[in-house]
Amino acid sequence: MQNKKQAIIQSSLGSVFSVFSEEELKKITDKETRNIAISGKINNPGIIDVPGGATLADVITLAGGLLNDSGFKAAQLGIPFGGFLTENSLSKELDFSLFDKGTSRNIIILSQEDCIIQYAKFYVDYLIGKMHEGAIEQYEVARKEIIRICKLLDKISKGRANMRDVYLLRRLTATVKEKVNQTHNIMEEIIDKFYGEIEEHIEEHICSTSQCNHLVKLTITSKCIGCGACKRACPVDCINGEQKQHHEIDYTRCTHCGQCIAACPVNAITAGDNTFRFLRDLATPNKVVITQMAPAVRVAIGEAFGFEPGINLENKIAAALRKLGVEYVFDTTWAADLTIMEEAAELQERVEKYLKGDKDVKLPILTSCCPAWVKFIEQNYSDMLDVPSTSKSPMQMFATVAKDLWGREHGLERDQITSVAIMPCIAKKYEASRPEFSRGLNYDVDYVITTRELIKIFEDSGINLNEIKDEPIDAVMGEYTGAGVIFGRTGGVIEAATRTAVEKMTGQRVDIIEFEALRGWDSFRVCELKVGDIELRIGITYGLKEAAKMLDKIKSGEEFFHAIEIMACTCGCVGGGGQPKAKNRMATLQKRAEGLNSIDKSLTIRRSYENPAVLAIYDKYLDFPLSHKAHELLHTKYFVRVKKDK
């Protein structure tokens, strides 16, 4: 990758034409030559000289063949849309007269790995972006219909459509075709050639390519060798299968924690991959792509580039994301401080009521940042749903603030912002698709990219974190405290909360805020924490089997806690299912966690309530923690989930 003005954005999942201007492409593919620009699901995207008499199959061969030998689906001719060539055209000579006059000659190759709904949405988004730029003016007469088509495609991709919407697509398509005087229309040809795939999305809520993130479940693919590693790693016993036979997942029990993915030796399990969608969004004109990065990402990603586990590479990640074309690089850790403002206030409120003898107060308070843990309690302990903190996770708080507050300050509507979360966690993909974290069809987090996926994007793009110069994370939603950064390791969330809560409760500043009693590597820990006159009994677990033991003891009255932290993954988020796989696993996870502790120690501000950027949000928009405004924007609720008995 050369720079942001690159011609092609490329990944192992395919390629997307990017900032080549239309004029540049016209010159390259001048009618005096037989040059065409080719991209999509081929191994060697770029400009190729097509020999006379070459068939479409020959052209694909010249471009290195199909990625992963995945099977040909279609070839789109030109932007604006010049029609699809399907399988029956492979053996026919490529007819150059099919390219519209006055446009560049480019072909986008689709394979069986492409979701036709996602592709159509990308194309229509791209078209709308070009219209905003003032290009392809002939489409302006149908702007209203094109925008409605885009919204219908979005609805289908999120499993919220019905077959009447296909009828409406037909009507809108006919209007666009007539107004623009088109020979070919993308939606007309998609409905004609790929009707079954559309129907599958709508009627069965299935995206067989796993590209529509709202329809994706953890899936064990045909690569499975039946070794049983996933079954042994699963904390909720939802994987079934005999030795040396294909295994299956019981989705009514699965919590999306991703520990099966981390354990699988042959990468046979997928939770869907939003990489190609990310690259397409970066290539789409007038899309404002913003990212947030979780604490645990920065201390793990370097392992793929030769760094020791635990080295903080946040500024290199920021530089690399900007090189890809991300407009604003923010930090989830900032929102972790915001989460603590709300969770610590809840902890303080409940404990003070309890100490005053309130018999109705709900204790222990449970931290609620881990989405796999949230789904676990919804499925298994529905009688305890009034116990967890109602504060949203940092990822969701960040995205809410970004789209509803930051965006408004920058004159951006919600649907102009593409909000991408870079996470160590597979379950964050599930969390991002929960309907309570949306306004209508516009979700606060559009999709999640895991640490491993980001590593692959950098590698495919020629970005080496060893060589890139540091750049700071964007301000306003980038500043964080030591309390925010330790969220990424076991015990970190509750330690961050107690740093704020005990000082607010006692009115005294605590000099030593490394609460060693809360630290450690045991998967089930009980801690007595005494600060001044305040004595707190805190439980900490990681791994959902240990969580079940703790909750059962609480329900039976065997144990009492004021507060609990539960993380689904080993050692917390540093051991997330989306992190790089490690050979010496526990030693590596501990180094990652110590890396977060080192960042904490190095910072001047280590208490969330002293973060000036967080305080400014309250001063300007939210008033104070647990205010009505804060509840409206930063809090959530939980739901009873049906779980099948084993």
Side-chain angles (χ1 to χ4, degrees), residues 20-91:
F20 252 156
S21 72
E22 184 66 19
E23 290 306 311
E24 287 173 312
L25 275 176
K26 281 181 186 176
K27 288 178 184 176
I28 293 168
T29 61
D30 182 83
K31 65 181 180 180
E32 302 299 324
T33 74
R34 288 183 62 85
N35 287 345
I36 64 167
I38 186 166
S39 65
K41 291 300 176 74
I42 37 100
N43 285 302
N44 300 318
I47 310 299
I48 62 173
D49 183 11
V50 179
T55 65
L56 177 59
D58 294 332
V59 170
I60 293 171
T61 300
L62 286 170
L66 290 167
L67 273 171
N68 306 319
D69 295 323
S70 49
F72 176 77
K73 188 167 194 170
Q76 178 184 323
L77 299 178
I79 294 180
F81 184 70
F84 279 125
L85 297 179
T86 50
E87 198 168 9
N88 59 3
S89 299
L90 279 172
S91 58

Side-chain angles (χ1 to χ4, degrees), residues 73 115-117 156 159 161 163 166 194-210 215:
K73 188 167 194 170
C115 169
I116 200 63
I117 300 300
I156 294 170
M163 294 306 291
V166 182
F194 304 103
Y195 190 85
E197 191 172 341
I198 298 171
E199 191 174 35
E200 186 178 65
H201 277 72
I202 294 173
E203 299 283 38
E204 300 178 49
H205 289 182
I206 290 173
C207 174
S208 59
T209 65
S210 296
L215 305 181

Side-chain angles (χ1 to χ4, degrees), residues 231-456:
K231 190 174 179 179
R232 292 189 294 274
C234 179
V236 293
D237 299 323
C238 75
I239 298 178
N240 305 305
E242 298 300 319
Q243 199 76 10
K244 297 185 180 180
Q245 293 182 9
H246 187 274
H247 286 39
E248 300 286 347
I249 297 174
D250 177 353
Y251 297 120
T252 66
R253 304 180 67 84
C254 178
T255 62
H256 303 89
C257 71
Q259 290 304 292
C260 56
I261 293 178
C264 180
V266 293
N267 297 319
I269 307 175
T270 179
D273 190 333
N274 296 305
T275 296
F276 207 37
R277 184 175 173 188
F278 181 48
L279 299 181
R280 283 171 170 170
D281 283 337
L282 291 173
T284 302
N286 291 306
K287 273 208 170 188
V288 179
V289 179
I290 68 172
T291 59
Q292 56 167 305
M293 169 176 48
V297 174
R298 72 205 66 208
V299 291
I301 195 170
E303 295 160 30
F305 299 91
F307 292 90
E308 281 293 309
I311 301 297
N312 178 15
L313 296 186
E314 62 187 48
N315 291 330
K316 291 188 181 296
I317 298 169
L321 288 169
R322 291 195 187 98
K323 194 169 184 180
L324 284 174
V326 174
E327 277 122 314
Y328 295 94
V329 180
F330 295 126
D331 201 328
T332 316
T333 317
W334 172 88
D337 283 321
L338 188 61
T339 299
I340 286 303
M341 294 296 285
E342 296 297 318
E343 275 198 357
E346 282 186 275
L347 174 60
Q348 178 182 351
E349 182 180 73
R350 292 198 205 180
V351 169
E352 287 179 342
K353 284 181 178 179
Y354 173 78
L355 294 176
K356 290 177 181 176
D358 188 335
K359 302 295 185 185
D360 297 322
V361 68
K362 300 297 182 182
L363 287 177
I365 183 171
L366 285 73
T367 60
S368 55
C369 298
C370 171
W373 145 239
V374 167
K375 192 162 189 278
F376 176 77
I377 195 172
E378 288 179 329
Q379 290 180 165
N380 297 278
Y381 294 89
S382 58
D383 55 339
M384 297 181 75
L385 292 186
D386 54 354
V387 179
S389 163
T390 62
S391 299
K392 292 180 182 177
S393 72
M395 180 181 88
Q396 293 301 153
M397 280 199 187
F398 172 91
T400 301
V401 170
K403 283 197 171 181
D404 286 334
L405 301 181
W406 175 86
R408 191 173 71 195
E409 282 192 347
H410 286 73
L412 298 169
E413 298 295 327
R414 284 179 62 95
D415 58 5
Q416 291 177 270
I417 301 170
T418 298
S419 170
V420 182
I422 300 167
M423 293 285 135
C425 174
I426 297 297
K428 288 292 179 185
K429 294 184 182 232
Y430 156 77
E431 182 185 23
S433 67
R434 287 177 68 123
E436 62 266 29
F437 299 135
S438 70
R439 199 181 306 160
L441 285 174
N442 188 279
Y443 284 72
D444 299 329
V445 174
D446 289 290
Y447 50 88
V448 169
I449 299 288
T450 66
T451 313
R452 277 204 309 275
E453 290 164 357
L454 186 62
I455 289 168
K456 196 75 176 72

